Coordinates of all heavy atoms in Angstrom, one line a residue:
S1 N 152.7 152.6 11.6 CA 152.0 151.4 11.1 C 150.5 151.8 11.1 O 150.0 152.4 12.0 CB 152.2 150.1 11.8 OG 152.0 150.3 13.2
Q2 N 149.8 151.2 10.1 CA 148.4 151.5 9.9 C 147.5 150.5 10.8 O 146.5 150.9 11.3 CB 148.0 151.4 8.5 CG 146.6 151.8 8.2 CD 146.3 151.8 6.7 OE1 146.9 151.0 5.9 NE2 145.4 152.7 6.3
W3 N 148.0 149.3 11.0 CA 147.2 148.2 11.6 C 148.3 147.3 12.3 O 149.3 147.0 11.8 CB 146.5 147.4 10.6 CG 145.5 146.4 11.3 CD1 145.7 145.1 11.3 CD2 144.3 146.7 11.9 NE1 144.6 144.5 12.0 CE2 143.8 145.5 12.3 CE3 143.5 147.9 12.2 CZ2 142.6 145.4 13.0 CZ3 142.3 147.8 12.8 CH2 141.9 146.5 13.2
V4 N 147.9 146.9 13.6 CA 148.8 146.1 14.4 C 147.9 145.0 14.9 O 146.8 145.2 15.4 CB 149.4 146.8 15.6 CG1 150.3 145.9 16.4 CG2 150.2 148.0 15.1
S5 N 148.4 143.7 14.8 CA 147.7 142.6 15.4 C 148.7 141.7 16.1 O 149.7 141.5 15.7 CB 146.9 141.9 14.3 OG 147.8 141.4 13.3
T6 N 148.1 141.2 17.2 CA 148.8 140.2 18.0 C 147.8 139.0 18.4 O 146.7 139.0 17.9 CB 149.3 140.7 19.4 OG1 148.2 141.0 20.2 CG2 150.1 142.0 19.2
D7 N 148.3 138.1 19.1 CA 147.4 137.0 19.5 C 146.2 137.6 20.4 O 145.2 136.9 20.4 CB 148.1 135.9 20.4 CG 149.1 135.2 19.5 OD1 149.1 135.3 18.3 OD2 150.1 134.6 20.1
H8 N 146.4 138.7 21.0 CA 145.5 139.1 22.0 C 144.7 140.4 21.6 O 143.7 140.8 22.2 CB 146.1 139.4 23.3 CG 146.9 138.3 23.8 ND1 146.2 137.1 24.3 CD2 148.2 138.0 23.9 CE1 147.1 136.2 24.7 NE2 148.3 136.7 24.5
R9 N 145.1 141.0 20.5 CA 144.4 142.3 20.1 C 144.7 142.7 18.7 O 145.6 142.2 18.1 CB 144.8 143.5 21.0 CG 146.2 144.0 20.8 CD 146.4 145.3 21.6 NE 147.7 146.0 21.3 CZ 147.8 146.8 20.3 NH1 147.0 147.1 19.4 NH2 149.0 147.5 20.1
A10 N 143.9 143.5 18.1 CA 144.2 144.2 16.8 C 143.7 145.6 16.9 O 142.9 146.0 17.6 CB 143.3 143.4 15.8
G11 N 144.4 146.4 16.2 CA 144.1 147.8 16.1 C 145.4 148.6 15.7 O 146.2 148.2 14.9
G12 N 145.5 149.8 16.4 CA 146.6 150.7 16.0 C 147.5 150.9 17.2 O 147.3 150.4 18.3
G13 N 148.6 151.6 17.0 CA 149.5 151.9 18.1 C 150.5 150.8 18.4 O 150.5 149.7 17.8
P14 N 151.5 151.2 19.2 CA 152.5 150.2 19.6 C 152.0 149.0 20.5 O 151.0 149.2 21.1 CB 153.5 151.0 20.3 CG 152.8 152.2 20.8 CD 151.7 152.4 19.9
V15 N 152.7 148.0 20.4 CA 152.4 146.8 21.3 C 153.1 147.1 22.6 O 154.3 147.1 22.6 CB 152.8 145.5 20.7 CG1 152.5 144.3 21.6 CG2 152.1 145.3 19.3
R16 N 152.4 147.2 23.7 CA 153.0 147.5 25.0 C 153.8 146.4 25.5 O 154.9 146.7 26.1 CB 151.9 147.9 26.0 CG 151.2 149.3 25.6 CD 152.1 150.4 25.8 NE 151.4 151.5 25.2 CZ 152.0 152.5 24.5 NH1 153.3 152.5 24.4 NH2 151.4 153.5 24.1
V17 N 153.4 145.1 25.5 CA 154.1 144.0 26.0 C 154.0 142.9 24.9 O 152.9 142.6 24.5 CB 153.6 143.6 27.3 CG1 154.4 142.3 27.7 CG2 153.6 144.6 28.4
L18 N 155.1 142.5 24.4 CA 155.2 141.3 23.5 C 155.8 140.1 24.3 O 157.1 140.2 24.5 CB 155.9 141.6 22.2 CG 155.9 140.5 21.2 CD1 154.4 140.2 20.8 CD2 156.6 140.9 19.9
S19 N 155.1 139.2 24.8 CA 155.6 138.1 25.6 C 156.6 137.3 24.8 O 156.6 137.3 23.6 CB 154.5 137.3 26.2 OG 153.6 138.1 26.9
R20 N 157.3 136.4 25.5 CA 158.3 135.5 24.9 C 157.4 134.5 24.0 O 156.3 134.2 24.3 CB 159.1 134.8 25.9 CG 158.4 134.0 26.9 CD 159.3 133.4 27.9 NE 158.8 132.5 28.7 CZ 158.9 131.2 28.6 NH1 159.7 130.7 27.7 NH2 158.3 130.3 29.3
T21 N 158.0 134.2 22.9 CA 157.5 133.2 21.9 C 156.2 133.8 21.3 O 155.5 133.0 20.6 CB 157.1 131.9 22.5 OG1 156.1 131.9 23.4 CG2 158.3 131.2 23.2
R22 N 155.9 135.1 21.4 CA 154.8 135.7 20.7 C 155.2 136.6 19.5 O 156.4 137.0 19.5 CB 154.0 136.5 21.7 CG 153.4 135.8 22.9 CD 152.3 134.9 22.5 NE 151.8 134.3 23.7 CZ 151.0 133.2 23.6 NH1 150.7 132.7 22.5 NH2 150.6 132.7 24.7
S23 N 154.2 136.9 18.7 CA 154.5 137.7 17.5 C 153.4 138.9 17.5 O 152.4 138.8 18.0 CB 154.4 136.8 16.2 OG 155.3 135.9 16.2
A24 N 153.9 139.9 16.7 CA 153.0 141.0 16.4 C 153.2 141.3 14.9 O 154.4 141.3 14.5 CB 153.3 142.2 17.3
T25 N 152.1 141.7 14.2 CA 152.2 142.0 12.9 C 151.8 143.4 12.6 O 150.8 143.9 13.2 CB 151.3 141.0 12.0 OG1 151.6 139.7 12.3 CG2 151.4 141.3 10.6
F26 N 152.7 144.1 11.9 CA 152.4 145.6 11.6 C 152.3 145.8 10.1 O 153.0 145.3 9.3 CB 153.7 146.4 12.1 CG 154.0 146.3 13.5 CD1 154.7 145.2 14.0 CD2 153.5 147.2 14.4 CE1 155.0 145.2 15.5 CE2 153.8 147.2 15.7 CZ 154.5 146.2 16.3
D27 N 151.1 146.4 9.8 CA 150.9 146.7 8.4 C 151.2 148.2 8.1 O 150.8 149.0 8.8 CB 149.4 146.5 8.1 CG 148.9 145.1 8.3 OD1 149.7 144.2 8.6 OD2 147.8 144.8 8.1
S28 N 152.0 148.4 7.0 CA 152.3 149.8 6.7 C 151.1 150.4 6.1 O 150.1 149.8 5.6 CB 153.5 149.8 5.7 OG 153.1 149.4 4.4
P29 N 151.1 151.8 6.0 CA 150.0 152.4 5.1 C 150.2 152.0 3.7 O 151.3 151.6 3.3 CB 150.3 153.9 5.4 CG 151.3 154.0 6.5 CD 152.0 152.7 6.6
R30 N 149.3 152.2 2.9 CA 149.4 152.0 1.5 C 150.4 153.0 0.9 O 150.2 154.2 1.2 CB 148.0 152.1 0.8 CG 147.1 151.0 1.2 CD 147.5 149.7 0.6 NE 146.5 148.7 1.1 CZ 146.6 147.4 0.8 NH1 147.6 147.0 0.1 NH2 145.8 146.5 1.3
L31 N 151.3 152.6 0.2 CA 152.3 153.5 -0.4 C 152.3 153.3 -1.9 O 151.9 152.3 -2.4 CB 153.7 153.1 0.1 CG 153.9 153.1 1.6 CD1 155.1 152.3 2.0 CD2 153.9 154.5 2.1
E32 N 152.8 154.3 -2.6 CA 153.0 154.2 -4.0 C 154.0 153.2 -4.3 O 155.1 153.1 -3.5 CB 153.3 155.6 -4.7 CG 152.3 156.7 -4.6 CD 152.9 158.0 -5.1 OE1 153.8 157.9 -6.0 OE2 152.4 159.0 -4.6
P33 N 153.9 152.3 -5.3 CA 154.9 151.3 -5.4 C 156.3 151.8 -5.6 O 157.2 151.1 -5.2 CB 154.4 150.6 -6.7 CG 152.9 150.8 -6.8 CD 152.7 152.1 -6.1
A34 N 156.5 153.0 -6.2 CA 157.8 153.5 -6.3 C 158.4 153.9 -4.9 O 159.6 153.9 -4.8 CB 157.8 154.8 -7.2
R35 N 157.6 154.2 -3.9 CA 158.1 154.5 -2.6 C 158.3 153.3 -1.7 O 158.8 153.5 -0.7 CB 157.0 155.5 -2.0 CG 157.1 156.9 -2.4 CD 156.6 157.9 -1.5 NE 157.1 157.9 -0.2 CZ 156.4 157.9 0.9 NH1 155.1 158.1 0.8 NH2 156.9 157.8 2.1
L36 N 157.8 152.2 -2.1 CA 157.9 151.0 -1.2 C 159.3 150.7 -0.8 O 159.6 150.5 0.4 CB 157.2 149.8 -1.9 CG 156.9 148.7 -1.0 CD1 155.8 149.1 0.1 CD2 156.5 147.5 -1.7
T37 N 160.2 150.7 -1.7 CA 161.6 150.3 -1.5 C 162.2 151.3 -0.5 O 163.0 151.0 0.3 CB 162.4 150.2 -2.8 OG1 161.7 149.3 -3.6 CG2 163.8 149.7 -2.5
S38 N 161.9 152.6 -0.7 CA 162.5 153.7 0.2 C 161.8 153.7 1.5 O 162.3 154.5 2.4 CB 162.5 155.0 -0.5 OG 161.3 155.4 -0.7
S39 N 160.8 153.0 1.8 CA 160.0 153.0 3.0 C 160.2 151.7 3.7 O 159.2 151.2 4.3 CB 158.6 153.4 2.7 OG 158.5 154.6 2.1
R40 N 161.3 151.1 3.8 CA 161.5 149.9 4.4 C 161.2 150.0 5.9 O 161.4 151.1 6.5 CB 162.9 149.3 4.2 CG 163.2 149.0 2.8 CD 164.4 148.0 2.8 NE 164.6 147.6 1.4 CZ 164.1 146.5 0.9 NH1 163.3 145.8 1.6 NH2 164.2 146.2 -0.4
P41 N 160.7 148.9 6.6 CA 160.3 149.1 8.0 C 161.5 149.2 9.0 O 162.6 148.7 8.7 CB 159.6 147.7 8.3 CG 160.0 146.8 7.1 CD 160.5 147.7 6.0
I42 N 161.3 150.0 10.0 CA 162.1 150.1 11.1 C 161.3 149.8 12.4 O 160.3 150.4 12.6 CB 162.7 151.6 11.2 CG1 163.5 151.9 10.0 CG2 163.5 151.7 12.5 CD1 163.9 153.4 9.9
V43 N 161.8 148.8 13.2 CA 161.1 148.4 14.3 C 161.9 148.9 15.5 O 163.2 148.8 15.6 CB 161.0 146.8 14.4 CG1 160.4 146.4 15.7 CG2 160.2 146.3 13.2
R44 N 161.1 149.4 16.5 CA 161.8 149.9 17.8 C 161.1 149.1 18.9 O 159.9 148.9 18.9 CB 161.6 151.4 17.9 CG 162.4 152.1 16.9 CD 162.2 153.7 17.1 NE 163.0 154.4 16.2 CZ 162.6 154.7 14.9 NH1 161.4 154.3 14.5 NH2 163.4 155.4 14.1
F45 N 161.9 148.9 20.0 CA 161.4 148.2 21.2 C 162.3 148.4 22.3 O 163.4 148.8 22.2 CB 161.1 146.7 20.9 CG 162.5 146.0 20.6 CD1 163.2 145.3 21.6 CD2 162.9 145.9 19.3 CE1 164.3 144.7 21.3 CE2 164.1 145.2 19.0 CZ 164.8 144.6 20.0
R46 N 161.8 148.1 23.5 CA 162.5 148.2 24.8 C 162.7 146.8 25.3 O 161.7 146.0 25.4 CB 161.9 149.1 25.8 CG 162.6 149.4 27.0 CD 161.9 150.4 27.8 NE 160.4 150.3 28.0 CZ 159.8 149.5 28.9 NH1 160.5 148.9 29.9 NH2 158.5 149.5 29.0

């Protein structure tokens, strides 16, 4: 992801802790419109 934002921070890299009832938003890099469908998001977490 190119940009990540939560209630407590914004920037890059993974979100180390996502508390209960909280959200994080991940922005993809800009892609060619033709590649957008083949670049669907995959979220990983522990």
Side-chain angles (χ1 to χ4, degrees):
S1 55
Q2 186 175 32
W3 187 257
V4 180
S5 59
T6 69
D7 295 340
H8 304 292
R9 75 170 183 87
V15 176
R16 294 293 169 215
V17 179
L18 186 60
S19 301
R20 61 188 191 100
T21 70
R22 300 289 184 195
S23 297
T25 302
F26 297 85
D27 299 359
S28 76
R30 296 284 178 186
L31 302 165
E32 294 178 26
R35 282 200 53 220
L36 194 67
T37 304
S38 64
S39 300
R40 293 202 177 268
I42 298 173
V43 173
R44 290 180 181 85
F45 63 93
R46 184 171 47 90

